[in-house]
Amino acid sequence: KAGVTQTPRYLIKTRGQQVTLSCSPISGHRSVSWYQQTPGQGLQFLFEYFSETQRNKGNFPGRFSGRQFSNSRSEMNVSTLELGDSALYLCASSLKGDRGANTEAFFGQGTRLTVV
Amino acid sequence: SQQGEEDPQALSIQEGENATMNCSYKTSINNLQWYRQNSGRGLVHLILIRSNEREKHSGRLRVTLDTSKKSSSLLITASRAADTASYFCATDPLNDYKLSFGAGTTVTVRA
């Protein structure tokens, strides 16, 4: 079965621009989460979607937004890019429905965003 | 802020030796998971231990969980060069939908 697919793999943008990253989860997975990974801050949670609903959001400014489509594919958008947004953006999918469910997350290879 | 803290930050061992890394966390959890990341790529799930379990094995991996001390350890036995990677613990809190990751331990296995 195909894994989690993130596109594009690499992206270079200029300060002030906006960017959209895409994530296709494993077939049957309805939960999709996004994480930002930087050398200084480690892996930081951005948001989680389940059946097109955002169930949780991390501590990021409103410039970071996301959505999930009816086929569970997800996109995240960052507007007015800043140099500090340069990071590896990771998407993960899982079967997690209820809070108490014990399920693992499957990660994509990530999108490496560089803001210049 | 991150839920888990890992120790040590970095570890260098000889092939064939064992590697042990520890993770401490702050709040009540549903389970704790360990992931491996090779050089800036995606994370790979290694093992999940539930809050009511104390020890779990998977191949050369052994994980322990002490919920009273809010800590976990990951032991990799008979390490190989291919085990060179960063290892992260992630806590799955009781009342939330996110995984909170530690800062990771970078393991280097020398041939």
Side-chain angles (χ1 to χ4, degrees), chain A residues 41-89:
Chain A
Q41 296 296 315
L43 274 149
Q44 300 288 323
F45 171 79
L46 281 156
F47 17 69
E48 190 263 1
Y49 289 89
F50 184 87
S51 291
E52 303 178 68
T53 299
Q54 186 182 87
R55 296 196 295 191
N56 203 352
K57 190 178 191 313
N59 232 3
F60 279 83
R63 301 184 297 106
F64 290 81
S65 63
R67 59 178 173 166
Q68 186 180 35
F69 302 96
S70 58
N71 62 357
S72 294
R73 191 177 71 84
S74 177
E75 288 181 347
M76 67 162 280
N77 185 277
V78 188
S79 62
T80 320
L81 284 165
E82 300 177 0
L83 295 179
D85 298 333
S86 294
L88 181 67
Y89 289 87

Side-chain angles (χ1 to χ4, degrees), chain A residues 37 41 56 100 102 105 109, chain B residues 2 30-31 35 37 41 96:
Chain A
Q37 186 177 27
Q41 296 296 315
N56 203 352
N102 287 293
Q109 292 298 300
Chain B
Q2 290 166 336
N30 188 40
N31 63 68
Y35 289 81
Q37 184 179 37
R41 302 182 62 135
D96 216 339

Side-chain angles (χ1 to χ4, degrees), chain B residues 78-93:
Chain B
S79 62
R80 305 165 180 168
D83 294 328
T84 294
S86 292
Y87 292 82
F88 295 88
C89 70
T91 50
D92 186 355

Side-chain angles (χ1 to χ4, degrees), chain A residues 41 43-44 59, chain B residues 1-5 26 98 100-101:
Chain A
Q41 296 296 315
L43 274 149
Q44 300 288 323
N59 232 3
Chain B
S1 64
Q2 290 166 336
Q3 159 80 305
E5 296 296 330
K26 294 172 185 169
K98 66 180 184 186
S100 294
F101 285 84

